[in-house]
């Protein structure tokens, strides 16, 4: 029987936990206590629900992609339109929840990490909304690839700090944010952006995103009178995927399919497919599948998408993988780019490159799935990736 909660030490099976310096144990315990209190507080939940509806734009539509379905043949495809949320991605769900928690704990300063920039934009947005000081750490390479989101964060009042060490991407941004937190724990809340890191973050981030799956479940039953056969979601750290998967964990007939970044090749350092190239280890406070070399050194990663090239997958995904409750596969850069163009030209929707990985896998399977219902979680829109699309499609300039 699947359980949806970690144990008292924050583990999903063998994965998760708290592997952090002693100085961070107290703030993590404080955060867990505040979160559990808030979860049981009707006023907190009502304020969050009001913000999600009237500020963020929930519920998001479950859209029947008729032309994509007809083009592919086979499956009837629905798209969960998280891309229509304020700031352009699912990230705002978690950011609103954690900003309310920070205010509840009396924290006046927020720090965050970001890869593709969407979490950074959402963090900067909620800090502006609540009048909180905001610093976002971002790898130098990601700042180059996501210059539009860097500008958006700065326009919203955030300080964006360039991280120039390591791979200059998400892993290094998280490391810098954790160093900041160690130094400023009394005044600062670390608004972690995915379902990873030390407990209670994987549980808490998942819970703030589980509204995605709850809405999807209710709407597909209303529209089709039954549950979907397969649900597709891209997986970097894993927040959008666990958000939509969670409501269906007990429904064994519903396939949960997570799509990682296949990158340029299967060689270590050329992709971010943790289940095909990694093995269990510890990174950024948690135990999960990590891309690492034979000496246990964290490997470099690559993806055409700035949001999927993280060396570790969230611990709950590792547990779902080992229990065979969710299936994890990968789409390479070329497949994701092709899927983005296909979706744009059949449905008039330009997806985020992260989301295009999920679209790609659904496209592969749809022709052989006659009569089945597919749901793709479109976690974000493609505005932020315009420069990357321009680089890869010179004929469209």
């Amino acid at each position: 029987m699947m359980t949806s909660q970690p144990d008292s030490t924050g583990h999903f099976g063998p994965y998760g936990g708290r592997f952090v310096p002693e100085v961070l144990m107290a703030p993590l315990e404080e955060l867990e206590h505040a979160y559990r209190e808030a979860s049981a507080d009707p006023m907190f939940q009502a304020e969050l629900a009001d913000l999600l509806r009237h500020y963020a734009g929930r519920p998001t539509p479950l859209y029947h992609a008729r032309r994509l379905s007809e083009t592919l043949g086979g499956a009837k495809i629905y798209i969960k339109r998280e891309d229509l949320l304020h700031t352009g991605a699912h990230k705002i769900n978690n950011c609103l929840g954690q900003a309310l928690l920070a205010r509840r704990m009396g924290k006046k300063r927020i720090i965050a990490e970001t890869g593709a920039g969407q979490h950074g934009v959402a963090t900067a947005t909620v800090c502006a909304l609540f009048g909180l000081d905001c610093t976002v750490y971002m790898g130098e390479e990601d700042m180059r690839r996501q210059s539009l989101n860097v500008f958006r964060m700065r326009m919203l009042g955030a300080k964006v700090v360039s991280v120039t060490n390591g791979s200059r991407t998400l892993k290094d941004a998280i490391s810098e944010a954790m160093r900041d937190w160690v130094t400023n724990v009394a005044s600062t809340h670390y608004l972690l952006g995915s379902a990873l890191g030390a407990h209670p973050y994987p549980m808490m981030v998942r819970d703030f995103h589980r509204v995605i799956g709850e809405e999807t479940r209710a709407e597909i039953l209303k529209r089709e009178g039954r549950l979907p056969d397969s649900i597709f979601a891209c997986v970097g750290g894993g927040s959008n995927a666990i958000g939509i998967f969670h409501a269906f964990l007990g429904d064994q007939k519903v396939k949960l399919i997570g799509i990682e970044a296949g990158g340029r090749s299967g060689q270590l350092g050329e992709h971010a497919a943790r289940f095909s190239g990694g093995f269990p280890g510890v990174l950024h406070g948690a135990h999960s599948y990590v891309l690492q070399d034979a000496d246990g050194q964290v490997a470099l990663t690559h993806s055409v998408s700035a949001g999927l090239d993280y060396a570790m997958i969230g611990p709950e995904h590792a547990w779902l993988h080992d229990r065979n409750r969710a299936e994890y596969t990968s789409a390479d850069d070329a497949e994701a780019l092709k899927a983005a163009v296909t979706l744009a030209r059949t449905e008039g929707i330009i997806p985020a490159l992260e989301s295009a990985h999920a679209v790609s896998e659904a496209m592969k399977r749809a022709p052989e799935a006659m009569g089945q219902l597919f749901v793709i979680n479109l976690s974000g829109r493609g505005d932020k990736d315009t420069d990357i699309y321009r680089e890869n499609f010179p004929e469209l300039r």
Side-chain angles (χ1 to χ4, degrees), residues 99-176:
L100 289 174
L101 272 181
R103 188 183 68 183
R104 188 183 184 97
M105 293 186 292
K107 307 290 186 180
K108 302 294 186 183
R109 178 174 180 262
I110 301 292
I111 59 172
E113 84 299 328
T114 196
Q118 286 303 112
H119 174 60
V121 169
T123 300
T125 297
V126 298
C127 287
L129 180 65
F130 290 108
L132 301 169
D133 182 73
C134 181
T135 298
V136 178
Y137 290 91
M138 191 172 188
E140 183 181 50
E141 172 62 13
D142 289 338
M143 290 182 71
R144 181 192 67 80
R145 294 194 289 178
Q146 301 289 333
S147 58
L148 174 61
N149 274 345
V150 174
F151 179 83
R152 293 170 75 195
M153 285 182 268
R154 288 171 173 161
M155 187 169 182
L156 288 160
K159 178 184 179 183
V160 183
V161 178
S162 175
V163 178
T164 58
N165 56 289
S167 61
R168 299 171 292 129
T169 57
L170 181 59
K171 172 180 69 71
D172 311 291
I174 294 175
S175 296
E176 287 301 313

Side-chain angles (χ1 to χ4, degrees), residues 64-77 346-347:
H64 176 204
R66 289 177 176 83
R67 290 200 65 233
L68 180 64
S69 301
E70 291 168 0
T71 299
L72 298 172
K76 185 176 184 180
I77 300 172
T346 56
E347 297 294 346

